Amino acid sequence: MDLNKISSPSFLKELNTKQLQDLSEDVRKFLIQKLSVTGGHIGPNLGVVELTIALHRAFNSPQDKFIWDVGHQAYVHKILTGRADQFDTLRQYKGLCGFPKRIESEHDVWETGHSSTSLSAAMGMAAARDIKGEKNFVVPIIGDGALTGGMALEALNHIGHEKTNMIVILNDNEMSIAPNVGALHNVLGRLRTANNYNKAKDELEQLLKKIPAVGGKLASTAERVKDSLKYLLVSGVFFEELGFTYLGPIDGHNFETLEETLQNAKRMQGPVLIHVITKKGKGYLPAENDTVGTWHGTGPYKMETGDLVKPKTTAPGWSSLIAETVRKLARVDERIVAITPAMPVGSKLEGFASEFPNRMFDVGIAEQHAATMAAGMAADGTKPFLAIYSTFLQRAYDQVLHDICRQNLNVFIGIDRAGLVGADGETHQGVFDIAFLRHMPNMVIMMPKDENEGQHMVKTAIDYNEGPIALRYPRGNGLGVPMDTELQALPIGSWEVLREGKDATILTFGTTIPMAQEAAEVLADQGIQVEIVNARFIKPMDEVMLHGLIQSKKPILTIEEGVLQGGFGSAVLEFANDNHYSTTQIDRIGIPDMFIEHGSVDKLLEEINLTAEETVLRIQQLVNEDNKEQAGLKA
């Protein structure tokens, strides 16, 4: 089938089982080919091909609402709703988003990029439906990994309590990004293998149907017998105790089973949970055989071999550098433990886990729990390294503030993917952490100019015993600078001058330092000498140096790959105001008050004018205004 000609999923209702199977193969071939060029979340999408087709066949989108948890598995949904012809632009600048996007299609009714939100959103939509007296179906699709998130469990509890009409699809592939952990995952494992229970339950129900109606007492006894059977054969009927009708587990790649179960669920009242077993990466052997999460989401790859197309650089990856430096220090410091919310692969902690299995904790998709657990461990004398992506740290805001900072506990937060991340788009851009951490008392925030300074900052964080400290580091690789063999702790709050200049000063840190250096070279050719300061400690700032810079009356430009509201530049302005400096010009470049969508980082920086060219322009303006002011004073 030519998938580019699909405009609506309605055609699925006319297909027989053989045609549905052929369509599934076409979709898989399409995804494998297209994603080999663009990259993307190939494993999750190959696993839900039949499930997505069956859902669109059984329901009527967009009247019936599909809410995809996380949303990274919605590629098949996009194909079936008329967007196959845009897949060459997937995750590219101004192209097709890698997650559901409401402005893309009426079939995308909920936007998400983080896990565990689908059930709460579905409850909201179902409640709104009931208030309006409408009859459409609400169908959240949630993975077994996302189901371990606290928000999902809160929603399950509420849905079951309210007995809300809803069909929840539990897509159980035994793995989210990394292998799933936790007691709930083990419950699902028992359910997957509970064939004897399903068989016995069916036999018992057939037997009960043959019993003459002899009053409520017998019926009540029969229900108790069914309950007893559940507890006898399955350890913990979790969902039914929460008020759901549980159907499954069923084969998520069998159209006949899927269709029969979905139609049964549509006839039931109250919340129904269909437990669907799928194979992540199905149809592409490299993805099928993945046991650690490499094929959850990838960059481009060679379709024939599955070899990933790696960037041509010898510089270390930032995540590896930080994790391996922590591991190195852990060999001589037994206080060090590592905690991650389901990202041991992304945060490159596999080596730490292998060497120190008793000091490594993957808590599942549970950022809030991870932060407070780190606080608890720190309170008892350990030194926790909490490795967490910037975008996921947002979810633990209260725990960082209330449990870590308020108690001034020695937690080392490694903020991975800080700054723009590119193709994953607005849900994943790590640009808010400075603004939401900077106002927390006791918090130290730092970011290195290169990987050598990065390893020294790890040493700084481990040695720091006066409260919480956060180290920001970007996605991707370092600059390839020489690496010191001996690690040294940096003085907290210290900045360094990277380039002298008498006409203006640039204050910046991390990924924007090369941009500032490039601009300074251009300005030097124009006769403008710019000082560049590596403001590597965002909090506390180097107030001694800052006093001197402002008192020199040279104009100052701050640059940050973070939001301007509440960011580093704001901190400099606050400092100037609090110290009654009013004559030095201060300008700021950073992320404007908007969400930054997907695309290459270079394209995104260009779009928001966070570039060397804009830096040159701003410095020229500052210097010209300063010269006019000086000339006016002389006159």
Side-chain angles (χ1 to χ4, degrees):
M1 176 181 288
D2 186 351
L3 303 182
N4 291 322
K5 293 182 178 179
I6 296 175
S7 59
S8 162
S10 59
F11 77 99
L12 295 170
K13 300 182 189 298
E14 307 302 322
L15 303 184
N16 59 37
T17 301
K18 176 62 167 60
Q19 290 171 320
L20 293 172
Q21 291 169 343
D22 290 342
L23 174 61
S24 298
E25 291 306 307
D26 290 341
V27 169
R28 282 199 168 88
K29 290 176 183 176
F30 178 89
L31 287 173
I32 293 167
Q33 191 274 319
K34 294 294 184 181
L35 270 60
S36 71
V37 178
T38 64
H41 291 93
I42 184 164
N45 284 283
L46 292 177
V48 298
V49 174
E50 289 86 0
L51 174 59
T52 308
I53 292 171
L55 287 170
H56 273 289
R57 181 175 163 86
F59 296 95
N60 298 305
S61 176
Q63 292 77 24
D64 297 326
K65 311 296 184 185
F66 293 137
I67 301 128
W68 301 91
D69 203 282
V70 183
H72 60 272
Q73 78 283 46
Y75 294 2
V76 186
H77 164 79
K78 294 196 176 204
I79 291 169
L80 297 177
T81 53
R83 287 170 274 178
D85 60 347
Q86 300 176 54
F87 263 73
D88 287 335
T89 71
L90 180 71
R91 292 158 45 92
Q92 309 299 305
Y93 182 67
K94 300 297 184 182
L96 193 67
C97 182
F99 298 91
K101 192 76 173 169
R102 295 175 68 192
I103 61 172
E104 274 186 13
S105 171
E106 63 180 351
H107 297 276
D108 291 5
V109 300
W110 181 251
E111 294 184 10
T112 181
H114 293 177
S115 79
S116 311
T117 66
S118 63
L119 299 179
S120 297
M123 181 60 185
M125 292 183 191
R129 172 201 64 194
D130 295 344
I131 290 170
K132 294 185 291 184
E134 297 174 348
K135 300 297 181 183
N136 60 287
F137 291 98
V138 176
V139 186
I141 303 100
I142 184 168
D144 50 321
L147 198 63
T148 64
M151 188 174 175
L153 299 178
E154 292 172 20
L156 279 177
N157 181 58
H158 187 214
I159 293 164
H161 173 76
E162 297 288 346
K163 297 180 171 50
T164 305
N165 287 334
M166 182 187 303
I167 299 173
V168 177
I169 308 298
L170 172 55
N171 173 34
D172 181 0
N173 58 27
E174 305 184 54
M175 189 172 173
S176 49
I177 298 176
N180 289 323
V181 298
L184 183 56
H185 176 63
N186 295 332
V187 169
L188 295 178
R190 288 193 291 272
L191 286 171
R192 285 185 214 112
T193 57
N195 294 327
N196 290 336
Y197 162 61
N198 288 317
K199 181 179 179 182
K201 184 179 73 169
D202 292 342
E203 291 174 352
L204 179 60
E205 288 173 350
Q206 292 300 317
L207 178 63
L208 291 174
K209 289 176 183 177
K210 298 176 182 178
I211 298 175
V214 292
K217 185 175 181 181
L218 180 59
S220 176
T221 302
E223 286 301 316
R224 287 201 301 273
V225 170
K226 287 173 68 180
D227 267 352
S228 299
L229 186 66
K230 292 174 193 174
Y231 286 107
L232 178 66
L233 294 176
V234 178
S235 176
V237 185
F238 180 80
F239 302 107
E240 294 193 2
E241 288 298 322
L242 283 173
F244 284 74
T245 299
Y246 173 84
L247 302 178
I250 65 169
D251 182 355
H253 303 293
N254 185 305
F255 280 113
E256 293 176 353
T257 303
L258 284 166
E259 181 160 356
E260 179 183 0
T261 307
L262 290 170
Q263 294 302 327
N264 286 339
K266 289 168 67 176
R267 291 189 288 268
M268 294 178 178
Q269 292 297 306
V272 180
L273 185 138
I274 303 175
H275 185 179
V276 181
I277 308 298
T278 60
K279 175 68 176 176
K280 195 169 185 178
K282 183 174 175 61
Y284 189 51
L285 283 178
E288 276 193 28
N289 296 332
D290 179 23
T291 60
V292 296
T294 303
W295 284 89
H296 171 78
T298 74
Y301 54 90
K302 296 179 180 178
M303 187 170 59
E304 298 78 12
T305 63
D307 293 333
L308 300 180
V309 179
K310 297 181 179 179
K312 296 179 180 178
T313 177
T314 58
W318 273 106
S319 300
S320 295
L321 171 80
I322 301 302
E324 287 303 301
T325 307
V326 171
R327 180 184 181 187
K328 176 181 177 180
L329 293 171
R331 293 179 184 134
V332 294
D333 188 343
E334 294 183 353
R335 299 176 307 145
I336 298 173
V337 298
I339 303 172
T340 180
M343 300 303 293
V345 178
S347 292
K348 303 301 181 186
L349 286 166
E350 306 102 313
F352 188 101
S354 176
E355 187 168 351
F356 305 109
N358 295 330
R359 292 156 65 183
M360 168 71 191
F361 301 89
D362 178 359
V363 303
I365 303 176
E367 294 88 358
Q368 295 164 309
H369 167 58
T372 299
M373 179 182 173
M377 297 192 80
D380 207 30
T382 66
K383 183 73 178 189
F385 170 58
L386 174 59
I388 187 166
Y389 289 12
S390 173
T391 184
F392 301 142
L393 185 61
Q394 294 162 189
R395 313 193 105 191
Y397 172 90
D398 181 63
Q399 287 68 32
V400 174
L401 175 66
H402 184 274
D403 299 330
I404 296 176
C405 288
R406 189 180 57 82
Q407 300 185 87
N408 200 31
L409 294 168
N410 295 325
V411 176
F412 170 21
I413 305 176
I415 307 178
D416 203 342
R417 271 67 166 177
L420 294 174
V421 298
D424 281 336
E426 57 194 317
T427 59
H428 282 62
Q429 311 289 14
V431 298
F432 300 101
D433 58 88
I434 293 174
F436 72 71
L437 289 177
R438 190 174 67 82
H439 61 243
M440 294 187 184
N442 298 324
M443 177 61 75
V444 173
I445 311 169
M446 54 186 176
M447 189 173 192
K449 68 179 184 292
D450 56 37
E451 59 268 38
N452 187 47
E453 189 168 68
Q455 66 171 347
H456 293 309
M457 284 189 172
V458 173
K459 171 69 170 171
T460 305
I462 295 297
D463 286 1
Y464 185 69
N465 291 311
E466 297 179 32
I469 186 166
L471 169 58
R472 307 179 77 241
Y473 46 99
R475 186 176 189 172
N477 296 80
L479 302 177
V481 301
M483 302 291 284
D484 296 333
T485 55
E486 294 294 325
L487 299 182
Q488 299 178 13
L490 305 175
I492 299 295
S494 64
W495 292 354
E496 65 171 349
V497 176
L498 300 178
R499 181 186 181 113
E500 301 285 352
K502 62 181 177 59
D503 298 314
T505 300
I506 295 176
L507 301 178
T508 190
F509 51 87
T511 53
T512 48
I513 284 178
M515 177 194 308
Q517 291 172 325
E518 180 183 345
E521 292 295 333
V522 174
L523 289 162
D525 291 340
Q526 301 172 6
I528 299 174
Q529 301 301 320
V530 178
E531 179 181 30
I532 298 177
V533 174
N534 173 21
R536 56 195 178 186
F537 283 91
I538 300 155
K539 183 186 178 184
M541 298 188 295
D542 190 332
E543 295 191 357
V544 173
M545 184 182 291
L546 197 48
H547 274 297
L549 291 171
I550 297 177
Q551 289 169 359
S552 75
K553 293 188 168 45
K554 289 186 296 185
I556 293 172
L557 177 67
T558 69
I559 306 176
E560 59 195 301
E561 200 174 302
V563 293
L564 286 170
Q565 283 80 359
F568 169 71
S570 291
V572 174
L573 288 174
E574 290 163 12
F575 177 87
N577 180 75
D578 292 346
N579 289 279
H580 310 292
Y581 293 121
S582 58
T583 57
T584 300
Q585 296 183 79
I586 301 174
D587 195 7
R588 302 176 300 150
I589 299 177
I591 306 293
D593 188 21
M594 60 186 287
F595 289 104
I596 308 299
E597 297 195 1
H598 55 280
S600 71
V601 172
D602 288 343
K603 281 283 188 183
L604 297 175
L605 291 172
E606 183 179 335
E607 180 182 55
I608 59 176
N609 290 323
L610 189 49
T611 61
E613 291 77 13
E614 180 68 13
T615 301
V616 169
L617 179 62
R618 295 288 190 97
I619 290 291
Q620 289 171 337
Q621 291 171 343
L622 285 169
V623 170
N624 288 338
E625 289 173 13
D626 188 60
N627 288 340
K628 289 178 183 178
E629 185 175 321
Q630 296 301 322
L633 290 174
K634 290 177 182 178

